[in-house]
Amino acid sequence: MIGERLCKALNDQIKNELESYYIYLSMAAYFHSLSLDGMGQWMRCQAHEEMIHATKFFDHIIDRGGKVVLQDVKQLKTEWSSPLEAFRDAYEHEKFITGKINELTTIAREEKDYASEPILAWFSDEQIEEEASTGKIADELEMVGEDKSGLLLIDRELGTRTYPPGSPFDPAAASGE
Ligand code: OFO
């Protein structure tokens, strides 16, 4: 059975992952408002991943005999001054989440909760990928600067990111196509 201290920290992380979901969905809305639909799609796919992350912690708490207590998720931001600023924010946010995963790993070790190590190791690996992908896109946007054709090229490329089958974040799935 999971101890109280780690259970509370994991519940806090469910909130962080749901906030990630909310941030990326908000960024998707921002990109769609600029007709940068490729970036919008990339962010929707990311939002889907964040929901999966929240659910992984949700299930881990239940499987370990703890109680899930959902918390308020605040709307953090709805506007950005540029696509670059949005992706920089995404990169900074992923660094913040990496710090939270590190804290959870420390708590699990202090509490000798070895059963939480595999899931936290999975999240540590995942964070390498999340920081790398958001950081790389921010770098690319910085490189193209004010060049609109460069921006559209990045938008096209990001629009190739695919949804997992049946994803509720896929507009085609939502409309039953
Ligand atoms: Fe859940 O990894 Fe991003 O935030």
Side-chain angles (χ1 to χ4, degrees):
M1 178 144 181
I2 199 160
E4 209 177 300
R5 182 177 170 222
L6 184 58
C7 188
K8 160 85 178 67
L10 289 170
N11 267 305
D12 289 347
Q13 190 58 20
I14 291 177
K15 179 189 72 89
N16 292 331
E17 299 291 346
L18 290 174
E19 274 182 359
S20 301
Y21 152 71
Y22 216 33
I23 289 168
Y24 293 133
L25 205 56
S26 184
M27 287 183 180
Y30 163 71
F31 285 124
H32 286 303
S33 78
L34 298 178
S35 294
L36 290 168
D37 293 336
M39 293 187 191
Q41 174 161 332
W42 194 96
M43 284 297 174
R44 283 167 181 249
C45 291
Q46 189 61 34
H48 178 111
E49 274 202 12
E50 300 302 347
M51 189 56 84
I52 292 172
H53 293 173
T55 306
K56 275 180 185 283
F57 284 119
F58 189 101
D59 286 339
H60 183 69
I61 291 174
I62 292 170
D63 289 347
R64 301 286 314 288
K67 183 171 189 316
V68 171
V69 180
L70 294 179
Q71 303 171 28
D72 285 353
V73 174
K74 57 177 187 280
Q75 174 58 276
L76 300 169
K77 205 165 169 178
T78 56
E79 275 300 326
W80 288 266
S81 62
S82 65
L84 173 60
E85 193 204 13
F87 272 97
R88 269 198 192 131
D89 270 10
Y91 178 53
E92 290 306 315
H93 181 70
E94 288 308 329
K95 288 199 284 186
F96 165 78
I97 293 292
T98 300
K100 291 291 168 191
I101 299 297
N102 291 343
E103 280 173 25
L104 282 168
T105 304
T106 302
I107 295 171
R109 285 182 186 163
E110 285 173 0
E111 299 292 313
K112 297 192 177 12
D113 191 304
Y114 303 117
S116 290
E117 286 202 356
I119 188 174
L120 292 172
W122 184 91
F123 272 98
S124 287
D125 280 348
E126 179 72 5
Q127 282 311 117
I128 295 173
E129 192 189 311
E130 304 244 318
E131 282 190 30
S133 61
T134 49
K136 183 168 178 282
I137 297 166
D139 285 349
E140 287 177 356
L141 286 167
E142 191 144 19
M143 273 185 251
V144 301
E146 296 299 310
D147 174 11
K148 294 275 185 282
S149 53
L151 181 68
L152 288 176
L153 214 64
I154 294 173
D155 186 60
R156 294 260 157 78
E157 189 197 316
L158 295 186
T160 61
R161 184 172 181 182
T162 51
Y163 296 97
S167 170
F169 298 89
D170 180 354
S175 66
E177 284 166 25

